[in-house]
Amino acid sequence: MFWNPKWDEIMKKIVTIFTMLLVVLSLSSCYDRDVLDDKGLNYFMPTPENVQYIQDNATTVTLTWSIPSVIPEDFRRPISVQIQIVENNIYRDRITLVNEETSHTFTIDPAKKYRYIVKLVGTFTEENQETGRTSTVTSEGVIVNVE
C-alpha cells in the first residue's frame, strides 16, 4: 500500500477536530441549570396592588398603587417602590421611592408612548441578612401602559 504525505496533514486535522469536539461536548454538558438559577432565597416580595394611572392633563400622569397589607417580617419597613420608565419602547430611567409612597407624578410628552413598571423592593432586617447573599428582594413588576 502506498502512503501519501498529504494523509499525515489530513489525519492531523481529523484528530484536531475530534479533540476540539470532545472538549466542547465535555465542557458544555458539565453544568446543572437548576444550580445556576437557584439564588438560594426562600423569600418573596408581593407585587404592588391596584396599580393605575390618572392622566391629569396632556403632559402629566400620576401613577397610584397600594402596598400589600402582608409584607414578610423578614424585611425592614418602610418598603421601597421602584418604577422603571420606558419611553417609545426604550428604557429611559428607574426611580426608587424609599418611604412606601403610593403615588408619583411624571411629566410626559403627549406624542410618545410610555410604559411604567412598578415593583416593590424589600431590604432584609439585620437578623435575616445572610453573609454572601443579596440584601434586597424585588417583586415582579406590574406594567402600566400610557398611550
Side-chain angles (χ1 to χ4, degrees), residues 49-119:
E49 298 174 341
N50 305 317
V51 180
Q52 307 175 42
Y53 78 92
I54 301 165
Q55 191 151 1
D56 302 322
N57 56 47
T59 60
T60 307
V61 168
T62 300
L63 290 180
T64 61
W65 59 87
S66 58
I67 306 292
S69 58
V70 179
I71 300 285
E73 293 180 7
D74 303 316
F75 298 103
R76 271 190 252 152
R77 297 303 286 260
I79 298 297
S80 299
V81 177
Q82 181 185 90
I83 304 172
Q84 296 174 347
I85 303 152
V86 180
E87 178 185 89
N88 284 341
N89 292 323
I90 299 171
Y91 177 82
R92 292 292 182 196
D93 199 4
R94 177 179 64 197
I95 62 168
T96 302
L97 309 171
V98 296
N99 289 315
E100 288 193 20
E101 288 94 340
T102 57
S103 68
H104 190 76
T105 301
F106 296 92
T107 301
I108 63 169
D109 178 348
K112 297 180 179 177
K113 295 179 182 179
Y114 290 87
R115 183 170 59 240
Y116 299 97
I117 304 160
V118 183
K119 301 178 180 184

Side-chain angles (χ1 to χ4, degrees), residues 4-16:
N4 187 340
K6 289 186 178 182
W7 292 354
D8 285 338
E9 285 182 41
I10 293 172
M11 290 302 289
K12 285 181 184 179
K13 287 183 182 179
I14 290 173
V15 168
T16 302

Side-chain angles (χ1 to χ4, degrees), residues 39-52:
K39 295 190 174 42
L41 292 175
N42 295 319
Y43 299 97
F44 78 98
M45 178 59 60
T47 59
E49 298 174 341
N50 305 317
V51 180
Q52 307 175 42

